[in-house]
């Protein structure tokens, strides 16, 4: 089904991830690398790689530098970070630098399969428990706090509901199910949300939502947020 490159310097973890992919995506072709140089070489040699699972701390990475190098050399190859890192600031930085998702190594097998499925279907995956957690002290904000509330007030109630679930890392399919609307309707709402917020993509919108109290906006009078 897919060709996936597992880039991690720990053989046992590569084996564990391989089992997850075999369970969730039978028939997929797996490639393995234990450092950044080998990762870049394999991507160069295989132009049909569907996804790179990239560890932040393997040899050659130099933190986020390895991700930036991979994205610069192969901008069309999706890369998702799989790491033990749980610092919100670092997670947000990885998606800012071009990762299509972030999966923690402590993620349960079933949830990891769901995350990979979401990413392979073209969506961005961010762990909801981390992305909604309070920012650590000293972390910078990713939006102008004086402007964003004004933009949020331009959203309809349904768009706010969709945006809230986007911020949790939910896919369009899940949002459609939870809100009992068509997936095409969700896509239309997402497009409207990006336009109204001035965001160029879904990740940028999610980053701007990290500190929003959606409950406060959803309690506003209906006349302010007509459908």
């Amino acid at each position: 089904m897919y060709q996936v490159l597992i880039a991690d310097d720990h053989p046992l973890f590569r084996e564990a991830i391989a089992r997850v992919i075999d369970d969730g995506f039978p028939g997929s072709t797996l490639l393995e690398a234990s450092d950044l140089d080998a990762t870049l070489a394999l991507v160069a040699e295989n132009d049909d790689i569907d996804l790179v699972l990239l560890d932040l701390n393997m040899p050659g990475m130099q933190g986020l530098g390895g991700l930036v190098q991979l994205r610069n050399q192969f901008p069309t190859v999706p890369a998702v970070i799989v790491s033990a890192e749980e610092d919100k600031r670092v997670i947000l930085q990885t998606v800012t630098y071009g990762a299509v998702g972030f999966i923690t190594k402590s993620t349960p097998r079933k949830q990891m399969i769901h995350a990979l499925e979401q990413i392979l279907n073209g969506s961005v995956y961010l762990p909801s428990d981390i992305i909604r957690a309070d920012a650590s002290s000293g972390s910078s904000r990713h939006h102008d706090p004086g402007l964003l509330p004004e933009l949020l007030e331009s959203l309809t109630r349904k768009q706010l509901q969709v945006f809230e679930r986007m911020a949790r890392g939910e896919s369009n399919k899940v949002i459609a199910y939870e809100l009992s609307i068509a997936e095409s309707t969700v896509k239309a709402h997402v497009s409207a949300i990006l336009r109204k917020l001035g965001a160029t993509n879904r990740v940028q919108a999610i980053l701007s939502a990290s500190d929003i109290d959606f409950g406060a906006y959803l309690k506003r009078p209906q006349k302010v947020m007509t459908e």
Side-chain angles (χ1 to χ4, degrees), residues 143-159:
H143 59 268
D144 182 347
L147 179 63
L148 192 54
E150 184 177 314
L151 295 177
L152 284 170
E153 289 173 1
S154 70
L155 301 181
T156 68
R157 182 177 183 80
K158 187 63 70 176
Q159 287 167 358

Side-chain angles (χ1 to χ4, degrees), residues 3 13 48 65 70 78 109 132 144 222:
Q3 185 172 64
F13 183 73
D48 53 352
L70 176 64
R109 176 184 296 245
R132 295 301 300 162
D144 182 347
Q222 292 293 310

Side-chain angles (χ1 to χ4, degrees), residues 82-104:
V82 183
S83 173
E85 178 64 64
E86 294 192 1
D87 185 292
K88 179 182 178 181
R89 179 174 52 185
V90 174
I91 294 174
L92 297 181
Q93 285 177 332
T94 63
V95 292
T96 299
Y97 292 158
V100 295
F102 191 106
I103 302 174
T104 61

Side-chain angles (χ1 to χ4, degrees), residues 29-44:
T29 301
L30 301 180
L31 303 173
E32 296 186 14
S34 59
D35 57 44
L36 181 61
D37 287 342
T39 299
L40 297 175
L42 282 171
V43 176

Side-chain angles (χ1 to χ4, degrees), residues 113-166:
I113 291 174
H114 169 73
L116 292 172
E117 182 178 48
Q118 183 172 320
I119 292 167
L120 288 166
N121 285 334
S123 297
V124 173
Y125 178 84
L126 295 170
S128 58
D129 56 334
I130 294 176
I131 211 64
R132 295 301 300 162
D134 291 335
S136 57
S137 60
S139 61
S140 60
R141 291 183 179 271
H142 295 267
H143 59 268
D144 182 347
L147 179 63
L148 192 54
E150 184 177 314
L151 295 177
L152 284 170
E153 289 173 1
S154 70
L155 301 181
T156 68
R157 182 177 183 80
K158 187 63 70 176
Q159 287 167 358
L160 277 170
Q161 291 173 334
V162 170
F163 191 21
E164 180 180 23
R165 293 183 177 278
M166 281 173 55

Side-chain angles (χ1 to χ4, degrees), residues 15-29:
E15 181 180 346
I17 287 292
R19 289 177 179 173
V20 170
I21 295 174
D22 284 339
D23 286 348
F25 311 93
S28 295
T29 301

